[in-house]
Amino acid sequence: MTIGAVDYDGLIPNNVGLGQDPRVKRALEKWHPGYLDWWNDMGPEGFQSSLIYLRTAVSVDPKGWAKFDYVKMPEYRWGVLLAPQHADRKIPFGTHKGEAAWQEVPGEYRAMLRRLVVIQGDTEPASVEQQRHLGKTAPSLYDMRNLFQVNVEEGRHLWAMVYLLQKYFGADGREEAEALLQRRSGDPDTPRMLGAFNEKTPDWLSFFMFTYFTDRDGKMQLEALAQSGFDPLSRTCRFMLTEEAHHMFVGETGVTRIVQRTCEAMRAAGIDDPYDIEKVRKLGVIDLPTVQKKANMHFSLTLDLFGNEISTNAANAFHAGLKGRYREDRLKDDHQLESGTYPLLRLIDGAIKNEDVPALSGLNMRLRDDYVADANIGVGRWNKVIADLGIPFEIKLPHVAFHRHIGEFSEIHADLDGNVISDADWTKRRTEFLPSESDRDFIESLMQPQFEPAKFASWIAPPRVGIDNKPGDFEYVKIVDA
Ligand SMILES: [Fe+2]
Ligand SMILES: [Fe+2]
């Protein structure tokens, strides 16, 4: 076997030597049927006997780790894959900086570490649940395949977190692993742990916005955990990040193809005004102001995932060496942050103002600022497509105080530019900022399936290149059951 190769001989593919670890192997084998039950109940609705052209990891080598082939989703080889161990890795930050990275759970931080793993783990099945109805309205087989690829990989990310729980946290880890299969996105009694993961993903524009904005929060959290002094968590997250990149690609290119199609249709019809919504909609495409409203919604819901502006949990996790900053290993400072400050926006006497806070307390906002910068890159690419097609419209991310449910700005209402507005104004202007009932009805009316190879729904352009360099007429899904 080559370095990083995955053992596919047993029931559970892995590169962690499960064969020599009977206790954990047994625990995972016991958990496996419950996972399959969850997949059957809460995974993609329909298409479970269809053949999907999926990639499966055959190695964790950054290059050439995936093999593409037709797979039925329930037969996808979920497993436990960790990035290779770096010899002599040191804890890169916090009070233990420079000590050897932990290969076992440090007793004093056990509870904190378990909570970090459980919260990350909970988001993975949640997004599969949120997206489970989308297959039947896929705008093409190409898009359907991408949806299912994202879904099976989120399932694998759940496996990754469950492995850590089973291997390193004994009986309470086993309980948490069970609970991850019990909670349900949007269930009033047993919801998923974080707000954005209990929202609906009702249509494909939402799906692309979710994978662009919310999977990108996943990327930031995984980047921060990949720095962890607890080496098994670091290695787990490093491999998850290679899969995560595809999810954000799906979101970014999905929105690109939507705005491209809209602008092309407008040009062909001689419509210059992007706000002439009625005329644009008659072309069977999604008007740009509605795309903007969906971005406003998914962006603001995702910001809530970064937590409170001032956070002792974040400070403690950094101090302990469990959760670092985005690209901690490339930053040039003391990596301890016991002194120093970070500037962030707060609500002070009813107004939004900048304030310097102790650097450790502001870590959530630092990660969020890095997120916003990262999210803006793709938005710039969307705007380039719009500008190149000559339509006077620019997609903008709203102010961080807009439409918030967590943190200081949850107490106020703000418009897209961050001006504080009254409750009455908010109620009056809400549908100027966020999708209205009739926007949603319009989008829903467009969600007609297109299951013929090489064909695409009216509202989305074909991709520039196929997955795995396949030609445009490639049959990405062989539908057996719709
Ligand atoms: Fe994930
Ligand atoms: Fe993801």
Side-chain angles (χ1 to χ4, degrees):
M1 273 203 299
T2 57
I3 296 175
V6 180
D7 173 6
Y8 274 93
D9 289 346
L11 181 62
I12 301 166
N14 72 93
N15 69 346
V16 293
L18 265 192
Q20 291 85 57
D21 196 347
R23 182 188 65 82
V24 177
K25 184 162 177 270
R26 246 196 329 271
L28 284 170
E29 283 174 357
K30 236 176 125 184
W31 184 81
H32 190 188
Y35 171 81
L36 287 177
D37 286 347
W38 167 80
W39 180 268
N40 287 324
D41 289 350
M42 295 310 293
E45 196 183 76
F47 307 98
Q48 297 285 349
S49 316
S50 297
L51 290 165
I52 327 282
Y53 193 68
L54 294 176
R55 69 176 184 186
T56 303
V58 286
S59 141
V60 290
D61 205 326
K63 286 185 216 91
W65 57 269
K67 174 173 145 275
F68 288 84
D69 206 350
Y70 285 107
V71 180
K72 290 180 188 166
M73 284 187 280
E75 291 166 14
Y76 181 81
R77 301 299 308 276
W78 286 287
V80 180
L81 310 179
L82 271 60
Q85 188 167 354
H86 294 172
D88 303 324
R89 182 169 174 262
K90 302 276 188 277
I91 299 168
F93 60 91
T95 188
H96 300 284
K97 191 186 110 182
E99 296 173 21
W102 296 298
Q103 301 303 328
E104 294 294 330
V105 174
E108 56 190 312
Y109 304 134
R110 192 172 187 281
M112 212 193 303
L113 195 49
R114 192 186 65 201
R115 184 155 176 85
L116 288 172
V117 172
V118 168
I119 290 178
Q120 181 61 43
D122 194 65
T123 66
E124 313 290 355
S127 66
V128 176
E129 293 165 1
Q130 288 169 291
Q131 295 161 12
R132 67 184 302 260
H133 303 299
L134 293 172
K136 57 180 184 289
T137 55
S140 72
L141 294 182
Y142 166 88
D143 290 292
M144 186 193 282
R145 176 263 166 214
N146 283 349
L147 166 71
F148 293 154
Q149 182 73 61
V150 170
N151 293 160
V152 294
E153 287 178 354
E154 300 303 5
R156 209 203 61 72
H157 292 177
L158 171 61
W159 273 86
M161 292 297 126
V162 163
Y163 168 72
L164 294 178
L165 290 169
Q166 302 274 25
K167 173 146 177 88
Y168 296 100
F169 292 91
D172 44 340
R174 274 196 300 283
E175 263 169 49
E176 295 284 14
E178 279 311 313
L180 284 167
L181 295 176
Q182 304 307 323
R183 287 186 287 273
R184 293 285 181 267
S185 174
D187 189 303
D189 302 320
T190 55
R192 291 294 172 182
M193 295 169 85
L194 303 173
F197 290 90
N198 288 302
E199 299 284 335
K200 285 200 165 67
T201 311
D203 58 70
W204 278 78
L205 178 53
S206 280
F207 170 65
F208 293 132
M209 289 292 181
F210 186 97
T211 41
Y212 186 75
F213 287 113
T214 310
D215 281 73
R216 189 175 308 275
D217 160 71
K219 166 186 160 177
M220 302 308 286
Q221 303 300 336
L222 293 175
E223 288 273 8
L225 294 173
Q227 301 288 340
S228 184
F230 179 51
D231 205 42
L233 176 60
S234 166
R235 293 171 56 202
T236 306
C237 292
R238 267 160 36 217
F239 184 68
M240 287 162 79
L241 279 164
T242 59
E243 293 174 321
E244 204 61 51
H246 175 67
H247 308 178
M248 286 173 292
F249 160 86
V250 169
E252 183 181 327
T253 55
V255 177
T256 301
R257 291 161 53 215
I258 290 174
V259 297
Q260 180 194 337
R261 179 74 194 102
T262 300
C263 295
E264 285 170 352
M266 286 173 67
R267 290 206 55 154
I271 303 169
D272 300 322
D273 180 4
Y275 294 94
D276 199 342
I277 288 170
E278 228 175 285
K279 260 201 202 160
V280 173
R281 287 185 176 182
K282 284 214 178 97
L283 305 173
V285 296
I286 304 173
D287 53 285
L288 299 176
T290 298
V291 174
Q292 174 72 63
K293 287 191 209 174
K294 281 275 195 180
N296 294 344
M297 185 164 82
H298 287 273
F299 178 71
S300 57
L301 288 171
T302 303
L303 291 187
D304 283 338
L305 296 172
F306 289 87
N308 285 312
E309 282 78 0
I310 307 284
S311 167
T312 37
N313 281 344
N316 291 340
F318 184 89
H319 181 81
L322 301 183
K323 184 177 176 184
R325 288 170 293 176
Y326 181 53
R327 299 188 170 160
E328 183 75 42
D329 47 1
R330 299 191 208 169
L331 298 173
K332 299 257 176 292
D333 59 22
D334 69 358
H335 301 280
Q336 292 186 313
L337 308 180
E338 300 294 346
S339 60
T341 59
Y342 190 76
L344 52 83
L345 288 176
R346 301 197 66 185
L347 189 67
I348 299 168
D349 300 329
I352 299 167
K353 287 191 184 146
N354 230 308
E355 190 182 66
D356 286 338
V357 303
L360 274 176
S361 315
L363 280 169
N364 279 347
M365 291 309 96
R366 179 170 183 137
L367 192 62
R368 195 193 69 189
D369 289 344
D370 288 333
Y371 166 81
V372 173
D374 199 58
N376 259 315
I377 296 171
V379 175
R381 292 195 199 112
W382 299 339
N383 286 330
K384 180 152 190 324
V385 170
I386 298 170
D388 285 352
L389 286 161
I391 304 295
F393 191 90
E394 209 178 306
I395 296 174
K396 282 196 202 88
L397 296 183
H399 191 277
V400 294
F402 169 77
H403 188 235
R404 297 296 308 281
H405 299 92
I406 302 271
E408 313 216 341
F409 306 126
S410 60
E411 292 165 30
I412 52 145
H413 289 302
D415 69 10
L416 298 173
D417 298 317
N419 301 305
V420 179
I421 59 175
S422 69
D423 289 4
D425 263 356
W426 171 261
T427 310
K428 209 162 61 203
R429 296 179 64 193
R430 193 190 155 96
T431 57
E432 187 188 308
F433 307 139
L434 294 167
S436 67
E437 204 63 48
S438 73
D439 295 334
R440 278 193 284 266
D441 289 348
F442 170 69
I443 294 174
E444 208 188 296
S445 75
L446 290 183
M447 297 295 126
Q448 305 299 328
Q450 178 48 272
F451 293 169
E452 262 182 72
K455 293 216 170 146
F456 290 81
S458 66
W459 49 271
I460 191 163
R464 247 194 281 176
V465 281
I467 292 293
D468 193 29
N469 283 317
K470 291 294 174 204
D473 61 352
F474 185 72
E475 195 175 5
Y476 288 98
V477 180
K478 295 186 180 176
I479 296 177
V480 174
D481 55 336

